[in-house]
Amino acid sequence: MKFVAFERTKQGTGASRRLRNADKVPGIVYGAGTPTMIELDHNALFHALKKETFHSTILEMELAGKTQQVLLRDYQLHPFRQIVLHVDFQRVDSTTKITKKIPLHFVNEENSPAVKTDKCLVNHVVTELRVQCLASALPEHITIDLGELTKGQSLHVSDLKLPAGITVMTQGKPNPVIVSTSVVAEEEEAAPAAPTVAAAPAPKAKKSEKQNKK
């Protein structure tokens, strides 16, 4: 993805507030040289942040007529308004080693024996992985084929076929579960209907004395 940034000379709370009032977002680019203060168009950035690729891939930033490769590192949103307050990027090149969270895309779940034959539920225990690799090898996402998943089976990190040069950072967990299956509980048999008790017939009204005389 490509985006355009502009150099920013003024710093401080007041300068940032004026930028936001002008529908701009203050930001910074660091790494591989001197940090650079930048500003971006708010609407363009706001819509870009809604795209998965903007968070997980190498981006091309045009700044002062030159293109640089950067990686989104952080951004701040207003607590309750749809406003981006600040954004951070890191310069990268083919030799930069980075650590980044990558989304997982699950495919063929509906065709697996676990779902198709045994009617199991498939639980996506983890939806993203923290990986370490060279910037040039950073994948947009990791695809996990569930077509062979069977009843009672679980997939762990060690079961994944990762692209070359990708190392999963498990953060203390040696081999965490990625996907698990569970059997759908059978519907309980309907309880027998309670016997209907017939209502007792209403007692006949007694005739009045005048009716008896007649």
Side-chain angles (χ1 to χ4, degrees), residues 72-123:
L72 176 65
R73 275 308 186 187
D74 194 16
Y75 63 96
Q76 298 174 11
L77 297 175
H78 192 278
F80 55 87
R81 298 173 62 188
Q82 293 187 333
I83 296 177
V84 186
L85 301 177
H86 196 274
V87 63
D88 294 357
F89 296 98
Q90 177 189 356
R91 293 189 194 93
V92 296
D93 57 28
S94 58
T95 63
T96 306
K97 197 169 188 178
I98 58 177
T99 301
K100 186 74 174 173
K101 287 184 177 180
I102 301 298
L104 303 180
H105 288 187
F106 302 95
V107 297
N108 288 331
E109 176 181 316
E110 67 281 1
N111 297 321
S112 67
V115 174
K116 202 169 184 178
T117 305
D118 297 311
K119 311 301 180 184
C120 294
L121 291 177
V122 177
N123 309 305

Side-chain angles (χ1 to χ4, degrees), residues 97-186:
K97 197 169 188 178
I98 58 177
T99 301
K100 186 74 174 173
K101 287 184 177 180
I102 301 298
L104 303 180
H105 288 187
F106 302 95
V107 297
N108 288 331
E109 176 181 316
E110 67 281 1
N111 297 321
S112 67
V115 174
K116 202 169 184 178
T117 305
D118 297 311
K119 311 301 180 184
C120 294
L121 291 177
V122 177
N123 309 305
H124 300 166
V125 181
V126 176
T127 58
E128 62 182 10
L129 286 176
R130 191 177 184 89
V131 304
Q132 189 177 75
C133 62
L134 294 177
S136 57
L138 183 68
E140 181 177 329
H141 60 265
I142 296 174
T143 300
I144 300 179
D145 191 342
L146 301 180
E148 303 298 325
L149 196 65
T150 58
K151 179 180 177 180
Q153 182 184 6
S154 296
L155 292 182
H156 295 74
V157 167
S158 60
D159 300 317
L160 303 183
K161 296 179 180 179
L162 300 173
I166 305 294
T167 302
V168 177
M169 312 298 289
T170 57
Q171 298 178 325
K173 298 180 180 180
N175 194 21
V177 175
I178 303 299
V179 172
S180 66
T181 59
S182 57
V183 180
V184 181
E186 296 182 0

